């Protein structure tokens, strides 16, 4: 569930501005402040592993930029500088430093988890604002006052699952099975911390190889039948979820409930669960898809429903544009404060 805060579509206060956010209106000509143009760097991949995510994010960014151009009440302009990160750590860091050395106050991006992880500590050591549209699987090691994000890290899925188990459903004996490495461990740590804070007890933990789905099913059976776990978080792929769903109708397993993350959110898992009378005991943790007027406009423009990346890119640009407009000056600190 997203946190409650004023929507990024909310138009900053502009005396005499007619209309409502998102509504096209006929207004007075743009009253610009002479020389007041902010530069913003966009770090997006046009190639490499994250090129498809980058393309989707660009669609949302382009929609936001076009909206900003039509909003004549804005008094400051933005000059957009774009760099292809090629889904690469060194290329992304080099592009970021190029922006910093040119005195650009705001950088938006990157997209791939590895460049994000690499850029975060670099950005924390500089003045330029870094707004990461989607933290996702990146691993933040530092987080300075000049760093911002639209979507949270993947590790937050662990806390969300724990709250649902303990606080919403009253399950106290819990288990977590996760992939090896920082991704799985981050979700596990968030899950354990939140569960224990809420009064739950993690009675079983194990890291497993996602390439061996049968070992996950055996571990789930062990957690339920030997450790009396009632709620289980499984951090793995759909292949693992298929095996886990198939054992939930075995002896001693019918009282167990399982939570998966977005990695396992595929229709075949539901079909297997239904065949084994476990459909009502499976749950998923995922973000809410983009909706409302933005989703309608996106569908009209691109004949497809927007993915998370499109919404994150749109919100990132709108957040920056509104901060640039309302800041006392175009200095780094003033924009960051706004």
């Amino acid at each position: 569930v997203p946190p409650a805060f004023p929507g990024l579509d909310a138009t900053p206060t502009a005396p005499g501005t007619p209309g409502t956010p998102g509504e096209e209106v006929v207004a007075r000509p743009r009253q610009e402040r002479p020389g007041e143009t902010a530069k913003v760097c966009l770090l997006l991949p046009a190639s490499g592993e994250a090129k498809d995510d980058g393309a989707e994010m660009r669609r949302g960014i382009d929609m936001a930029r076009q909206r900003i151009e039509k909003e004549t009440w804005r008094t400051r302009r933005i000059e957009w500088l774009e760099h292809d990160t090629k889904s690469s750590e060194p290329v992304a860091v080099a592009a970021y430093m190029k922006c910093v050395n040119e005195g650009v106050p705001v950088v938006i991006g990157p997209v791939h988890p590895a460049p994000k992880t690499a850029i975060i500590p670099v950005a924390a050591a500089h003045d330029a604002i870094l707004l990461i549209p989607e933290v996702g699987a990146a691993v933040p090691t530092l987080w300075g006052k000049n760093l911002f994000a639209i979507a949270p890290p993947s590790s937050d899925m662990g806390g969300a699952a724990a709250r649902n188990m303990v606080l919403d459903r009253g399950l106290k004996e819990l288990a977590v099975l996760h992939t090896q490495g920082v991704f799985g461990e981050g979700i596990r740590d968030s899950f354990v911390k939140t569960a224990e804070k809420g009064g739950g007890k993690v009675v079983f933990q194990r890291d497993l190889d996602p390439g061996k789905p049968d070992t996950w099913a055996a571990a789930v059976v062990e957690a339920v039948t030997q450790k009396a776990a009632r709620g289980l978080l499984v951090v793995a792929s759909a292949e693992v979820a298929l095996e886990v769903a198939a054992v939930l109708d075995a002896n001693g397993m019918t009282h167990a409930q399982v939570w998966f993350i977005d990695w396992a959110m595929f229709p075949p898992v539901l079909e297997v669960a239904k065949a084994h009378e476990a459909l009502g005991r499976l749950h998923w943790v995922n973000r809410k898809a983009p909706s409302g007027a933005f989703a309608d406009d996106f569908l009209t423009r691109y004949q497809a429903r927007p993915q998370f990346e499109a919404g994150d890119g749109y919100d990132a640009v709108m957040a920056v544009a509104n901060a640039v407009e309302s800041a006392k000056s175009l200095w780094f600190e003033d924009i960051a404060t706004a």
Side-chain angles (χ1 to χ4, degrees):
V1 178
F5 56 86
L8 291 173
D9 276 345
T11 303
T13 302
T17 301
T20 57
E23 179 184 12
E24 293 190 17
V25 297
V26 178
R28 64 183 184 275
R30 187 190 297 270
Q31 301 296 315
E32 296 183 9
R33 304 181 221 188
E36 297 244 327
T37 298
K39 292 184 178 181
V40 176
C41 277
L42 297 173
L43 306 185
L44 297 172
S47 57
E49 293 181 17
K51 66 178 182 179
D52 292 337
D53 292 338
E56 181 72 0
M57 188 171 291
R58 178 179 293 282
R59 296 184 184 102
I61 286 175
D62 287 346
M63 287 179 62
R65 288 171 58 177
Q66 291 174 24
R67 171 182 168 180
I68 292 165
E69 284 299 312
K70 293 179 181 179
E71 293 179 329
T72 57
W73 53 265
R74 294 184 184 272
T75 59
R76 285 173 170 149
R77 284 193 175 277
I78 297 177
E79 179 182 345
W80 303 95
L81 308 173
E82 301 185 21
H83 297 277
D84 177 13
T85 65
K86 300 180 181 180
S87 306
S88 161
E89 295 177 49
V91 175
V93 172
Y96 172 82
M97 291 307 304
K98 178 178 174 61
C99 296
V100 170
N101 292 334
E102 293 176 352
V104 176
V106 183
V107 178
I108 297 177
V111 176
H112 190 278
K116 283 184 282 192
T117 300
I119 278 181
I120 286 171
V122 177
H126 291 82
D127 291 329
I129 296 163
L130 176 66
L131 194 157
I132 298 177
E134 186 177 284
V135 178
V139 183
T141 52
L142 296 170
W143 200 263
K145 293 181 179 180
N146 61 329
L147 272 69
F148 302 88
I150 297 298
S154 298
S155 58
D156 280 15
M157 289 190 287
R163 286 190 295 272
N164 191 232
M165 291 183 196
V166 178
L167 302 180
D168 299 338
R169 300 176 185 271
L171 304 178
K172 301 299 183 181
E173 295 76 28
L174 314 177
V176 54
L177 291 72
H178 60 89
T179 55
Q180 299 160 341
V182 294
F183 175 76
E185 291 168 0
I187 296 178
R188 175 203 64 196
D189 293 345
S190 175
F191 175 79
V192 172
K193 179 179 179 180
T194 306
E196 292 179 346
K197 183 178 179 180
K201 181 180 181 181
V202 179
V203 297
F204 186 92
Q205 297 185 44
R206 185 165 296 176
D207 61 89
L208 297 163
D209 182 355
K212 301 177 180 179
D214 56 320
T215 62
W216 292 71
V220 167
V221 172
E222 179 183 349
V224 174
T225 60
Q226 299 183 28
K227 300 297 182 180
R230 294 288 305 277
L232 299 92
L233 174 62
V234 177
V235 182
S237 63
E239 289 75 18
V240 170
L242 289 169
E243 296 288 336
V244 171
V247 301
L248 295 181
D249 64 348
N251 292 335
M253 299 293 295
T254 55
H255 64 284
Q257 300 190 52
V258 178
W259 278 252
F260 297 109
I261 64 169
D262 52 7
W263 192 8
M265 188 178 282
F266 290 92
V269 180
L270 295 175
E271 295 170 6
V272 171
K274 185 176 181 180
H276 291 79
E277 299 181 351
L279 190 59
R281 292 182 285 121
L282 293 192
H283 316 278
W284 273 267
V285 183
N286 205 343
R287 294 166 53 202
K288 292 181 67 176
S291 59
F294 168 76
D296 295 339
D297 292 346
F298 188 98
L299 181 60
T300 299
R301 183 177 306 217
Y302 299 110
Q303 285 74 57
R305 295 192 179 279
Q307 302 302 309
F308 299 118
E309 294 82 8
D312 295 334
Y314 179 90
D315 283 352
V317 167
M318 293 307 302
V320 167
N322 292 346
V324 165
E325 180 64 29
S326 60
K328 291 191 298 183
S329 76
L330 295 183
W331 191 244
F332 302 99
E333 289 88 344
D334 290 337
I335 297 177
T337 299

